[in-house]
Amino acid sequence: MDQLAISDYGFLSDCRSGALVGRDGSIDWWCPDRFDSPSVFGRVLDPEAGHFRLAPTAAGLPGHRVERAYVADTLVLRTVHHTPEGSVAVTDALAAEFGARGHQLGMNSPAVLLRVVEGLAGRVRMSLDFRPRPEYGLLTPYLHGQPDGGVLAAAGPVVLVLHTDGVPPHVDRDRVRQEFEVSAGQVVGFDVAYGQAYGTVPARLEPVAALAETVQAWQAYRESHHYDGRYREQVRHSATVLTGLTYARSGAVAAALTTSLPERIGGDHNYDYRYSWLRDFAMTLRALWVAACPSEASRLFAWAARSIGRVGPDPVPVLFGLEGERDVSEHECAHLRGYGGSLPVRVGNDAWRQRQLDVPGEVLSAVWQLRDHLGEALDTELREMVLGLAEQVAATWHLPDRGIWETRDTDRHYLTSKVLCWVALDRAVRLAPRLGGRADARRWARIRDEIRTTVLRDGWHERTGAYGGAFGSPELDASVLLLPLVGFLPATDPRMRATIEAVESGLGAGEGLVRRWDTDPAGFLPCSFWLVECLVLAGEQGRAEALFERLLGHANDIGLFSEQIDPRTGAQVGNTPQALSHIGLVSAAWRLTDPTTD
């Protein structure tokens, strides 16, 4: 098959899992049990790994044109196909639980994929191709006709039940194929329900009614949040994407929907981002605070505290499974060909074993920012987490680590890691009145000041005239843009201002994009949004606005950002949709609205 561009995919979510649906009408990624479970449709990683296509038979031929948009304030996607014979809309969603409203969204999602076809004009011939391949394409299911006209696909631990409303399914060995016609005003619904092989067969949802219910559930959730700053529509949409990446049962935030979409086509930096990084989790909380969605802070912090457990001398894990699992060991799926031939395809992520000293600072910064929603006295588990993280930082800040970019070579004294250690103790000192008698604010303050002195002395590189990525290193690293954003140095400080200019000129990739380091193959969107914030704080509001506008242009046609942008082609690369990219947008928009925010 011709490989779709990463930007050609739309994102569906039920806050349990998510799916990718292409402009060509094919669902090419769905892990129905939860975000980090095995896929049943995996064509984005291999043409033989399963898909569910529903589109006009004329799709891709001359005269075929596609328009698509999300139903307002939802992750329900409506794709309109215009053909020489007429026009038809296909509306796709992952079903919400019936009656779910507000913050109940996703708590008990039924794991049902909904597809509703609506004739708009003329008479359009449609094609259906349902080809599930569970376990990342390892399993080919048996297909069984059901008394109610549905088709049951069974393989290994998975069953899927396809229902086709008024369209008799044609089973062709290991797939269902069918063609049918839709006239103007006609509506035809399809649904695919997921279940476990040795449980009860999943009950059917009526697609049209379930779709309407899902739209209402999403809109009711968004109506409870009010953001009045600049770039309102983009912020609300990014907040919706972040909600869609949240595993509602626990509150964990998946860093992205996908695994192994490459940083560079044909490259081997292909990692599984379907887990919850504490760094991303903390940044997401702050972004949702900006987007006026702070009401779930206590529950989300409870997930973090329970996942971390009692903090001891060992490094706090960088990431967890969505229900707090620690061991997410990495392995390669040798049978998959990879997106654009990019190998290996990885499941799991061995970064969980790394020491990354910035993580406690991210978490404690989020606790401080959301303190007004957590009560004057923190609950026991949260208090123990804050105390434990502060003590661990006090004991380990001087050690080398793998840094914010999770390098897989050697430990170094990364500057941003040290700065986030400073943040951890600075916020712990401020939180001390809420932490009880074991808070050692005086000692934390002394170590905090020692860290600051060390960073200012050892982080500056005279030859380059900038703060380097690691102590003693002349190599630029865009993560140093965080220094003004966390309050370590003002952006107007002469050395910090020189560093911002050095990063912008030395790591700039055109069109406002910033690479993480000089060998990075693509512009990294979170860093690019950090530069917007730094320019605002440096008093360059006009230049910051112009940069922000250019970055908005890198979203796809439905407002989604992947991880990176190839500066040569402008193509999106990396896993998608990427939480950090949307977090960066929200934070930069708010900084443009209120430069005084902390």
Side-chain angles (χ1 to χ4, degrees), residues 280-309:
D280 292 16
F281 167 82
M283 291 183 177
T284 301
L285 276 171
R286 292 199 295 273
L288 292 178
W289 172 80
V290 166
C293 316
S295 56
E296 288 191 289
S298 294
R299 186 173 75 89
L300 302 184
F301 277 121
W303 171 84
R306 291 177 184 178
S307 297
I308 292 170

mmCIF file of all heavy atoms in Angstrom, residues 280-309:
data_model
loop_
_atom_site.group_PDB
_atom_site.id
_atom_site.type_symbol
_atom_site.label_atom_id
_atom_site.label_comp_id
_atom_site.label_asym_id
_atom_site.label_seq_id
_atom_site.Cartn_x
_atom_site.Cartn_y
_atom_site.Cartn_z
ATOM 1 N N ASP A 280 5.816 14.388 31.581
ATOM 2 C CA ASP A 280 4.667 14.778 30.764
ATOM 3 C C ASP A 280 3.422 14.959 31.627
ATOM 4 O O ASP A 280 2.618 15.865 31.402
ATOM 5 C CB ASP A 280 4.389 13.713 29.707
ATOM 6 C CG ASP A 280 5.488 13.636 28.656
ATOM 7 O OD1 ASP A 280 6.579 14.174 28.901
ATOM 8 O OD2 ASP A 280 5.254 13.022 27.601
ATOM 9 N N PHE A 281 3.261 14.052 32.597
ATOM 10 C CA PHE A 281 2.112 14.119 33.489
ATOM 11 C C PHE A 281 2.063 15.465 34.202
ATOM 12 O O PHE A 281 1.027 16.136 34.250
ATOM 13 C CB PHE A 281 2.207 12.974 34.500
ATOM 14 C CG PHE A 281 1.269 13.089 35.666
ATOM 15 C CD1 PHE A 281 -0.042 12.693 35.551
ATOM 16 C CD2 PHE A 281 1.709 13.584 36.880
ATOM 17 C CE1 PHE A 281 -0.915 12.789 36.629
ATOM 18 C CE2 PHE A 281 0.851 13.685 37.963
ATOM 19 C CZ PHE A 281 -0.461 13.293 37.837
ATOM 20 N N ALA A 282 3.215 15.886 34.747
ATOM 21 C CA ALA A 282 3.256 17.143 35.476
ATOM 22 C C ALA A 282 3.010 18.328 34.558
ATOM 23 O O ALA A 282 2.269 19.268 34.894
ATOM 24 C CB ALA A 282 4.614 17.281 36.181
ATOM 25 N N MET A 283 3.623 18.306 33.368
ATOM 26 C CA MET A 283 3.402 19.389 32.413
ATOM 27 C C MET A 283 1.955 19.422 31.935
ATOM 28 O O MET A 283 1.392 20.495 31.695
ATOM 29 C CB MET A 283 4.350 19.238 31.223
ATOM 30 C CG MET A 283 5.812 19.496 31.549
ATOM 31 S SD MET A 283 6.837 19.372 30.047
ATOM 32 C CE MET A 283 8.458 19.814 30.720
ATOM 33 N N THR A 284 1.344 18.241 31.794
ATOM 34 C CA THR A 284 -0.062 18.186 31.390
ATOM 35 C C THR A 284 -0.946 18.819 32.445
ATOM 36 O O THR A 284 -1.889 19.565 32.123
ATOM 37 C CB THR A 284 -0.498 16.733 31.147
ATOM 38 O OG1 THR A 284 0.324 16.159 30.132
ATOM 39 C CG2 THR A 284 -1.945 16.655 30.713
ATOM 40 N N LEU A 285 -0.672 18.549 33.706
ATOM 41 C CA LEU A 285 -1.463 19.158 34.774
ATOM 42 C C LEU A 285 -1.407 20.675 34.696
ATOM 43 O O LEU A 285 -2.422 21.360 34.848
ATOM 44 C CB LEU A 285 -0.954 18.684 36.138
ATOM 45 C CG LEU A 285 -1.497 17.350 36.639
ATOM 46 C CD1 LEU A 285 -0.745 16.909 37.884
ATOM 47 C CD2 LEU A 285 -2.981 17.455 36.938
ATOM 48 N N ARG A 286 -0.213 21.196 34.438
ATOM 49 C CA ARG A 286 -0.091 22.654 34.351
ATOM 50 C C ARG A 286 -0.839 23.188 33.124
ATOM 51 O O ARG A 286 -1.466 24.247 33.186
ATOM 52 C CB ARG A 286 1.387 23.054 34.313
ATOM 53 C CG ARG A 286 2.102 22.785 35.628
ATOM 54 C CD ARG A 286 3.389 23.577 35.737
ATOM 55 N NE ARG A 286 4.381 23.191 34.752
ATOM 56 C CZ ARG A 286 5.251 22.198 34.921
ATOM 57 N NH1 ARG A 286 5.230 21.487 36.031
ATOM 58 N NH2 ARG A 286 6.135 21.922 33.987
ATOM 59 N N ALA A 287 -0.774 22.444 32.010
ATOM 60 C CA ALA A 287 -1.490 22.881 30.812
ATOM 61 C C ALA A 287 -3.000 22.858 31.042
ATOM 62 O O ALA A 287 -3.720 23.773 30.602
ATOM 63 C CB ALA A 287 -1.120 21.998 29.629
ATOM 64 N N LEU A 288 -3.490 21.842 31.725
ATOM 65 C CA LEU A 288 -4.919 21.781 32.002
ATOM 66 C C LEU A 288 -5.328 22.858 32.999
ATOM 67 O O LEU A 288 -6.465 23.357 32.959
ATOM 68 C CB LEU A 288 -5.299 20.389 32.507
ATOM 69 C CG LEU A 288 -5.174 19.268 31.470
ATOM 70 C CD1 LEU A 288 -5.537 17.927 32.093
ATOM 71 C CD2 LEU A 288 -6.039 19.532 30.248
ATOM 72 N N TRP A 289 -4.404 23.240 33.881
ATOM 73 C CA TRP A 289 -4.668 24.375 34.771
ATOM 74 C C TRP A 289 -4.868 25.642 33.950
ATOM 75 O O TRP A 289 -5.804 26.414 34.182
ATOM 76 C CB TRP A 289 -3.500 24.532 35.742
ATOM 77 C CG TRP A 289 -3.554 25.772 36.574
ATOM 78 C CD1 TRP A 289 -4.292 25.993 37.698
ATOM 79 C CD2 TRP A 289 -2.825 26.991 36.340
ATOM 80 N NE1 TRP A 289 -4.071 27.259 38.178
ATOM 81 C CE2 TRP A 289 -3.175 27.901 37.371
ATOM 82 C CE3 TRP A 289 -1.905 27.396 35.377
ATOM 83 C CZ2 TRP A 289 -2.641 29.186 37.445
ATOM 84 C CZ3 TRP A 289 -1.372 28.672 35.452
ATOM 85 C CH2 TRP A 289 -1.737 29.555 36.465
ATOM 86 N N VAL A 290 -4.011 25.853 32.960
ATOM 87 C CA VAL A 290 -4.150 27.005 32.079
ATOM 88 C C VAL A 290 -5.493 26.954 31.354
ATOM 89 O O VAL A 290 -6.192 27.964 31.225
ATOM 90 C CB VAL A 290 -2.998 27.043 31.054
ATOM 91 C CG1 VAL A 290 -3.310 28.020 29.923
ATOM 92 C CG2 VAL A 290 -1.690 27.417 31.736
ATOM 93 N N ALA A 291 -5.859 25.755 30.887
ATOM 94 C CA ALA A 291 -7.093 25.605 30.123
ATOM 95 C C ALA A 291 -8.325 25.506 31.009
ATOM 96 O O ALA A 291 -9.398 25.134 30.552
ATOM 97 C CB ALA A 291 -6.995 24.365 29.229
ATOM 98 N N ALA A 292 -8.165 25.852 32.295
ATOM 99 C CA ALA A 292 -9.272 25.891 33.254
ATOM 100 C C ALA A 292 -9.885 24.516 33.465
ATOM 101 O O ALA A 292 -11.099 24.360 33.520
ATOM 102 C CB ALA A 292 -10.331 26.900 32.820
ATOM 103 N N CYS A 293 -9.019 23.504 33.596
ATOM 104 C CA CYS A 293 -9.487 22.150 33.877
ATOM 105 C C CYS A 293 -8.763 21.582 35.104
ATOM 106 O O CYS A 293 -8.203 20.486 35.040
ATOM 107 C CB CYS A 293 -9.227 21.223 32.694
ATOM 108 S SG CYS A 293 -9.617 21.889 31.075
ATOM 109 N N PRO A 294 -8.722 22.315 36.232
ATOM 110 C CA PRO A 294 -7.915 21.832 37.353
ATOM 111 C C PRO A 294 -8.658 20.963 38.356
ATOM 112 O O PRO A 294 -8.079 20.503 39.332
ATOM 113 C CB PRO A 294 -7.496 23.140 38.042
ATOM 114 C CG PRO A 294 -8.689 24.028 37.831
ATOM 115 C CD PRO A 294 -9.277 23.647 36.487
ATOM 116 N N SER A 295 -9.934 20.697 38.122
ATOM 117 C CA SER A 295 -10.760 20.101 39.166
ATOM 118 C C SER A 295 -10.382 18.669 39.501
ATOM 119 O O SER A 295 -10.745 18.168 40.557
ATOM 120 C CB SER A 295 -12.237 20.166 38.765
ATOM 121 O OG SER A 295 -12.432 19.550 37.510
ATOM 122 N N GLU A 296 -9.662 17.989 38.597
ATOM 123 C CA GLU A 296 -9.288 16.608 38.868
ATOM 124 C C GLU A 296 -7.881 16.487 39.444
ATOM 125 O O GLU A 296 -7.319 15.398 39.489
ATOM 126 C CB GLU A 296 -9.388 15.779 37.588
ATOM 127 C CG GLU A 296 -10.816 15.514 37.154
ATOM 128 C CD GLU A 296 -10.873 14.480 36.055
ATOM 129 O OE1 GLU A 296 -10.469 14.788 34.934
ATOM 130 O OE2 GLU A 296 -11.322 13.345 36.346
ATOM 131 N N ALA A 297 -7.305 17.590 39.912
ATOM 132 C CA ALA A 297 -5.917 17.572 40.355
ATOM 133 C C ALA A 297 -5.673 16.532 41.438
ATOM 134 O O ALA A 297 -4.684 15.791 41.396
ATOM 135 C CB ALA A 297 -5.512 18.960 40.849
ATOM 136 N N SER A 298 -6.556 16.453 42.421
ATOM 137 C CA SER A 298 -6.333 15.520 43.536
ATOM 138 C C SER A 298 -6.285 14.078 43.039
ATOM 139 O O SER A 298 -5.414 13.299 43.442
ATOM 140 C CB SER A 298 -7.441 15.678 44.583
ATOM 141 O OG SER A 298 -7.371 16.947 45.190
ATOM 142 N N ARG A 299 -7.201 13.712 42.146
ATOM 143 C CA ARG A 299 -7.214 12.336 41.650
ATOM 144 C C ARG A 299 -5.967 12.039 40.825
ATOM 145 O O ARG A 299 -5.373 10.965 40.930
ATOM 146 C CB ARG A 299 -8.466 12.092 40.801
ATOM 147 C CG ARG A 299 -8.625 10.645 40.362
ATOM 148 C CD ARG A 299 -9.957 10.436 39.681
ATOM 149 N NE ARG A 299 -9.975 10.991 38.348
ATOM 150 C CZ ARG A 299 -9.613 10.323 37.255
ATOM 151 N NH1 ARG A 299 -9.178 9.069 37.365
ATOM 152 N NH2 ARG A 299 -9.671 10.871 36.078
ATOM 153 N N LEU A 300 -5.546 12.996 40.020
ATOM 154 C CA LEU A 300 -4.385 12.769 39.179
ATOM 155 C C LEU A 300 -3.111 12.692 40.014
ATOM 156 O O LEU A 300 -2.224 11.877 39.744
ATOM 157 C CB LEU A 300 -4.280 13.875 38.125
ATOM 158 C CG LEU A 300 -5.498 14.014 37.209
ATOM 159 C CD1 LEU A 300 -5.256 15.075 36.142
ATOM 160 C CD2 LEU A 300 -5.855 12.702 36.544
ATOM 161 N N PHE A 301 -3.008 13.526 41.039
ATOM 162 C CA PHE A 301 -1.847 13.429 41.919
ATOM 163 C C PHE A 301 -1.874 12.124 42.718
ATOM 164 O O PHE A 301 -0.823 11.567 43.046
ATOM 165 C CB PHE A 301 -1.773 14.626 42.857
ATOM 166 C CG PHE A 301 -1.122 15.826 42.246
ATOM 167 C CD1 PHE A 301 -1.811 17.027 42.134
ATOM 168 C CD2 PHE A 301 0.172 15.770 41.763
ATOM 169 C CE1 PHE A 301 -1.220 18.136 41.562
ATOM 170 C CE2 PHE A 301 0.777 16.869 41.185
ATOM 171 C CZ PHE A 301 0.084 18.059 41.083
ATOM 172 N N ALA A 302 -3.069 11.640 43.027
ATOM 173 C CA ALA A 302 -3.153 10.353 43.712
ATOM 174 C C ALA A 302 -2.566 9.243 42.851
ATOM 175 O O ALA A 302 -1.881 8.341 43.345
ATOM 176 C CB ALA A 302 -4.608 10.037 44.071
ATOM 177 N N TRP A 303 -2.824 9.308 41.525
ATOM 178 C CA TRP A 303 -2.201 8.316 40.637
ATOM 179 C C TRP A 303 -0.680 8.401 40.724
ATOM 180 O O TRP A 303 0.008 7.382 40.831
ATOM 181 C CB TRP A 303 -2.634 8.542 39.187
ATOM 182 C CG TRP A 303 -1.846 7.677 38.244
ATOM 183 C CD1 TRP A 303 -2.110 6.383 37.919
ATOM 184 C CD2 TRP A 303 -0.640 8.019 37.563
ATOM 185 N NE1 TRP A 303 -1.132 5.894 37.076
ATOM 186 C CE2 TRP A 303 -0.218 6.875 36.842
ATOM 187 C CE3 TRP A 303 0.136 9.176 37.493
ATOM 188 C CZ2 TRP A 303 0.927 6.868 36.053
ATOM 189 C CZ3 TRP A 303 1.285 9.168 36.710
ATOM 190 C CH2 TRP A 303 1.665 8.027 36.000
ATOM 191 N N ALA A 304 -0.145 9.609 40.674
ATOM 192 C CA ALA A 304 1.310 9.772 40.721
ATOM 193 C C ALA A 304 1.871 9.249 42.033
ATOM 194 O O ALA A 304 2.877 8.513 42.050
ATOM 195 C CB ALA A 304 1.679 11.242 40.531
ATOM 196 N N ALA A 305 1.237 9.597 43.152
ATOM 197 C CA ALA A 305 1.753 9.170 44.456
ATOM 198 C C ALA A 305 1.721 7.653 44.591
ATOM 199 O O ALA A 305 2.666 7.039 45.094
ATOM 200 C CB ALA A 305 0.933 9.825 45.572
ATOM 201 N N ARG A 306 0.651 7.022 44.125
ATOM 202 C CA ARG A 306 0.551 5.571 44.267
ATOM 203 C C ARG A 306 1.473 4.850 43.292
ATOM 204 O O ARG A 306 1.998 3.783 43.604
ATOM 205 C CB ARG A 306 -0.897 5.143 44.073
ATOM 206 C CG ARG A 306 -1.775 5.618 45.220
ATOM 207 C CD ARG A 306 -3.234 5.284 45.043
ATOM 208 N NE ARG A 306 -4.018 5.842 46.133
ATOM 209 C CZ ARG A 306 -5.342 5.737 46.232
ATOM 210 N NH1 ARG A 306 -6.016 5.086 45.294
ATOM 211 N NH2 ARG A 306 -5.967 6.279 47.249
ATOM 212 N N SER A 307 1.667 5.432 42.114
ATOM 213 C CA SER A 307 2.583 4.815 41.157
ATOM 214 C C SER A 307 4.017 4.875 41.673
ATOM 215 O O SER A 307 4.766 3.895 41.583
ATOM 216 C CB SER A 307 2.481 5.517 39.796
ATOM 217 O OG SER A 307 1.194 5.374 39.252
ATOM 218 N N ILE A 308 4.402 6.006 42.209
ATOM 219 C CA ILE A 308 5.756 6.159 42.736
ATOM 220 C C ILE A 308 5.955 5.296 43.972
ATOM 221 O O ILE A 308 7.011 4.677 44.169
ATOM 222 C CB ILE A 308 6.034 7.637 43.057
ATOM 223 C CG1 ILE A 308 6.084 8.457 41.762
ATOM 224 C CG2 ILE A 308 7.330 7.803 43.839
ATOM 225 C CD1 ILE A 308 6.123 9.956 41.984
ATOM 226 N N GLY A 309 4.930 5.206 44.810
ATOM 227 C CA GLY A 309 5.080 4.483 46.073
ATOM 228 C C GLY A 309 5.978 5.259 47.026
ATOM 229 O O GLY A 309 6.312 6.427 46.797
#
